[in-house]
mmCIF file of all heavy atoms in Angstrom:
data_model
loop_
_atom_site.group_PDB
_atom_site.id
_atom_site.type_symbol
_atom_site.label_atom_id
_atom_site.label_comp_id
_atom_site.label_asym_id
_atom_site.label_seq_id
_atom_site.Cartn_x
_atom_site.Cartn_y
_atom_site.Cartn_z
ATOM 1 N N ILE A 1505 -2.922 -33.323 52.932
ATOM 2 C CA ILE A 1505 -2.255 -33.647 54.190
ATOM 3 C C ILE A 1505 -1.186 -34.703 53.968
ATOM 4 O O ILE A 1505 -1.244 -35.484 53.006
ATOM 5 C CB ILE A 1505 -3.266 -34.123 55.259
ATOM 6 C CG1 ILE A 1505 -4.052 -35.348 54.761
ATOM 7 C CG2 ILE A 1505 -4.209 -32.985 55.624
ATOM 8 C CD1 ILE A 1505 -4.970 -35.939 55.818
ATOM 9 N N LEU A 1506 -0.196 -34.714 54.848
ATOM 10 C CA LEU A 1506 0.878 -35.707 54.817
ATOM 11 C C LEU A 1506 0.640 -36.662 55.979
ATOM 12 O O LEU A 1506 0.625 -36.250 57.139
ATOM 13 C CB LEU A 1506 2.240 -35.034 54.947
ATOM 14 C CG LEU A 1506 2.514 -33.883 53.969
ATOM 15 C CD1 LEU A 1506 3.928 -33.356 54.168
ATOM 16 C CD2 LEU A 1506 2.293 -34.304 52.536
ATOM 17 N N VAL A 1507 0.454 -37.934 55.652
ATOM 18 C CA VAL A 1507 0.000 -38.912 56.638
ATOM 19 C C VAL A 1507 1.019 -40.024 56.767
ATOM 20 O O VAL A 1507 1.467 -40.608 55.776
ATOM 21 C CB VAL A 1507 -1.365 -39.511 56.227
ATOM 22 C CG1 VAL A 1507 -1.808 -40.551 57.238
ATOM 23 C CG2 VAL A 1507 -2.407 -38.409 56.083
ATOM 24 N N LYS A 1508 1.366 -40.319 58.012
ATOM 25 C CA LYS A 1508 2.224 -41.458 58.291
ATOM 26 C C LYS A 1508 1.376 -42.719 58.272
ATOM 27 O O LYS A 1508 0.370 -42.831 58.964
ATOM 28 C CB LYS A 1508 2.906 -41.300 59.648
ATOM 29 C CG LYS A 1508 3.833 -42.457 59.986
ATOM 30 C CD LYS A 1508 4.496 -42.271 61.321
ATOM 31 C CE LYS A 1508 5.548 -41.192 61.244
ATOM 32 N NZ LYS A 1508 6.309 -41.117 62.514
ATOM 33 N N LYS A 1509 1.765 -43.654 57.445
ATOM 34 C CA LYS A 1509 0.987 -44.875 57.280
ATOM 35 C C LYS A 1509 1.302 -45.884 58.382
ATOM 36 O O LYS A 1509 2.318 -45.773 59.062
ATOM 37 C CB LYS A 1509 1.310 -45.508 55.919
ATOM 38 C CG LYS A 1509 0.730 -44.734 54.740
ATOM 39 C CD LYS A 1509 1.030 -45.492 53.468
ATOM 40 C CE LYS A 1509 0.242 -44.915 52.305
ATOM 41 N NZ LYS A 1509 0.471 -45.684 51.075
ATOM 42 N N PRO A 1510 0.434 -46.883 58.554
ATOM 43 C CA PRO A 1510 0.742 -47.957 59.510
ATOM 44 C C PRO A 1510 2.091 -48.581 59.191
ATOM 45 O O PRO A 1510 2.429 -48.810 58.024
ATOM 46 C CB PRO A 1510 -0.395 -48.958 59.275
ATOM 47 C CG PRO A 1510 -1.518 -48.119 58.764
ATOM 48 C CD PRO A 1510 -0.883 -47.047 57.928
ATOM 49 N N GLY A 1511 2.839 -48.800 60.238
ATOM 50 C CA GLY A 1511 4.197 -49.296 60.051
ATOM 51 C C GLY A 1511 5.225 -48.199 60.110
ATOM 52 O O GLY A 1511 6.416 -48.446 60.244
ATOM 53 N N GLY A 1512 4.770 -46.966 60.002
ATOM 54 C CA GLY A 1512 5.689 -45.836 60.078
ATOM 55 C C GLY A 1512 5.764 -45.260 61.470
ATOM 56 O O GLY A 1512 6.327 -44.195 61.671
ATOM 57 N N GLY A 1513 5.186 -45.928 62.439
ATOM 58 C CA GLY A 1513 5.182 -45.398 63.803
ATOM 59 C C GLY A 1513 3.768 -45.159 64.268
ATOM 60 O O GLY A 1513 2.831 -45.110 63.488
ATOM 61 N N ASN A 1514 3.595 -45.016 65.560
ATOM 62 C CA ASN A 1514 2.253 -44.891 66.114
ATOM 63 C C ASN A 1514 1.723 -43.470 66.122
ATOM 64 O O ASN A 1514 0.524 -43.248 66.219
ATOM 65 C CB ASN A 1514 2.245 -45.444 67.555
ATOM 66 C CG ASN A 1514 2.551 -46.923 67.591
ATOM 67 O OD1 ASN A 1514 2.122 -47.645 66.698
ATOM 68 N ND2 ASN A 1514 3.288 -47.363 68.602
ATOM 69 N N SER A 1515 2.600 -42.488 66.061
ATOM 70 C CA SER A 1515 2.169 -41.104 66.235
ATOM 71 C C SER A 1515 2.450 -40.283 65.005
ATOM 72 O O SER A 1515 3.472 -40.443 64.351
ATOM 73 C CB SER A 1515 2.882 -40.484 67.437
ATOM 74 O OG SER A 1515 2.597 -39.109 67.533
ATOM 75 N N GLN A 1516 1.492 -39.381 64.669
ATOM 76 C CA GLN A 1516 1.744 -38.428 63.599
ATOM 77 C C GLN A 1516 2.716 -37.361 64.061
ATOM 78 O O GLN A 1516 3.327 -36.669 63.252
ATOM 79 C CB GLN A 1516 0.427 -37.779 63.161
ATOM 80 C CG GLN A 1516 -0.570 -38.749 62.538
ATOM 81 C CD GLN A 1516 -0.090 -39.328 61.228
ATOM 82 O OE1 GLN A 1516 0.736 -38.746 60.543
ATOM 83 N NE2 GLN A 1516 -0.611 -40.489 60.873
ATOM 84 N N ASP A 1517 2.892 -37.210 65.354
ATOM 85 C CA ASP A 1517 3.753 -36.177 65.909
ATOM 86 C C ASP A 1517 5.077 -36.814 66.272
ATOM 87 O O ASP A 1517 5.247 -37.371 67.345
ATOM 88 C CB ASP A 1517 3.103 -35.550 67.134
ATOM 89 C CG ASP A 1517 3.830 -34.299 67.578
ATOM 90 O OD1 ASP A 1517 3.874 -33.345 66.788
ATOM 91 O OD2 ASP A 1517 4.348 -34.287 68.713
ATOM 92 N N ASN A 1518 6.046 -36.753 65.341
ATOM 93 C CA ASN A 1518 7.271 -37.510 65.509
ATOM 94 C C ASN A 1518 8.405 -36.739 64.862
ATOM 95 O O ASN A 1518 8.348 -36.401 63.696
ATOM 96 C CB ASN A 1518 7.110 -38.884 64.849
ATOM 97 C CG ASN A 1518 8.273 -39.819 65.171
ATOM 98 O OD1 ASN A 1518 9.415 -39.386 65.243
ATOM 99 N ND2 ASN A 1518 7.964 -41.084 65.353
ATOM 100 N N ALA A 1519 9.443 -36.467 65.640
ATOM 101 C CA ALA A 1519 10.555 -35.682 65.122
ATOM 102 C C ALA A 1519 11.349 -36.431 64.072
ATOM 103 O O ALA A 1519 12.161 -35.856 63.377
ATOM 104 C CB ALA A 1519 11.483 -35.256 66.259
ATOM 105 N N ASP A 1520 11.116 -37.759 63.931
ATOM 106 C CA ASP A 1520 11.881 -38.552 62.981
ATOM 107 C C ASP A 1520 10.951 -39.169 61.942
ATOM 108 O O ASP A 1520 11.004 -40.345 61.644
ATOM 109 C CB ASP A 1520 12.648 -39.645 63.726
ATOM 110 C CG ASP A 1520 13.656 -40.323 62.817
ATOM 111 O OD1 ASP A 1520 14.129 -39.658 61.880
ATOM 112 O OD2 ASP A 1520 13.955 -41.507 63.032
ATOM 113 N N MET A 1521 10.069 -38.343 61.402
ATOM 114 C CA MET A 1521 9.104 -38.816 60.409
ATOM 115 C C MET A 1521 9.829 -39.083 59.095
ATOM 116 O O MET A 1521 10.391 -38.186 58.491
ATOM 117 C CB MET A 1521 8.045 -37.731 60.210
ATOM 118 C CG MET A 1521 6.750 -38.214 59.602
ATOM 119 S SD MET A 1521 5.584 -36.826 59.559
ATOM 120 C CE MET A 1521 4.067 -37.702 59.238
ATOM 121 N N SER A 1522 9.869 -40.321 58.627
ATOM 122 C CA SER A 1522 10.613 -40.653 57.414
ATOM 123 C C SER A 1522 9.694 -41.227 56.358
ATOM 124 O O SER A 1522 8.597 -41.685 56.631
ATOM 125 C CB SER A 1522 11.728 -41.660 57.727
ATOM 126 O OG SER A 1522 11.162 -42.886 58.140
ATOM 127 N N VAL A 1523 10.185 -41.178 55.107
ATOM 128 C CA VAL A 1523 9.355 -41.602 53.991
ATOM 129 C C VAL A 1523 9.768 -42.971 53.456
ATOM 130 O O VAL A 1523 9.276 -43.437 52.466
ATOM 131 C CB VAL A 1523 9.406 -40.534 52.868
ATOM 132 C CG1 VAL A 1523 10.733 -40.575 52.156
ATOM 133 C CG2 VAL A 1523 8.249 -40.688 51.902
ATOM 134 N N GLY A 1524 10.702 -43.621 54.141
ATOM 135 C CA GLY A 1524 11.164 -44.912 53.684
ATOM 136 C C GLY A 1524 10.039 -45.933 53.563
ATOM 137 O O GLY A 1524 9.139 -45.995 54.387
ATOM 138 N N GLU A 1525 10.087 -46.726 52.487
ATOM 139 C CA GLU A 1525 9.095 -47.767 52.241
ATOM 140 C C GLU A 1525 7.667 -47.216 52.193
ATOM 141 O O GLU A 1525 6.719 -47.897 52.575
ATOM 142 C CB GLU A 1525 9.195 -48.869 53.313
ATOM 143 C CG GLU A 1525 10.573 -49.506 53.415
ATOM 144 C CD GLU A 1525 11.008 -50.156 52.127
ATOM 145 O OE1 GLU A 1525 10.139 -50.649 51.383
ATOM 146 O OE2 GLU A 1525 12.202 -50.150 51.830
ATOM 147 N N GLY A 1526 7.505 -46.012 51.715
ATOM 148 C CA GLY A 1526 6.161 -45.448 51.559
ATOM 149 C C GLY A 1526 5.482 -45.139 52.871
ATOM 150 O O GLY A 1526 4.260 -45.213 52.981
ATOM 151 N N ASN A 1527 6.245 -44.784 53.918
ATOM 152 C CA ASN A 1527 5.649 -44.549 55.224
ATOM 153 C C ASN A 1527 4.808 -43.292 55.286
ATOM 154 O O ASN A 1527 3.990 -43.142 56.188
ATOM 155 C CB ASN A 1527 6.742 -44.476 56.300
ATOM 156 C CG ASN A 1527 7.309 -45.846 56.622
ATOM 157 O OD1 ASN A 1527 6.669 -46.848 56.353
ATOM 158 N ND2 ASN A 1527 8.497 -45.885 57.181
#
Side-chain angles (χ1 to χ4, degrees):
I1505 58 175
L1506 308 183
V1507 179
K1508 181 180 287 187
K1509 288 184 169 183
N1514 296 323
S1515 173
Q1516 295 294 336
D1517 191 62
N1518 189 322
D1520 191 28
M1521 200 176 194
S1522 65
V1523 73
E1525 303 300 329
N1527 286 339

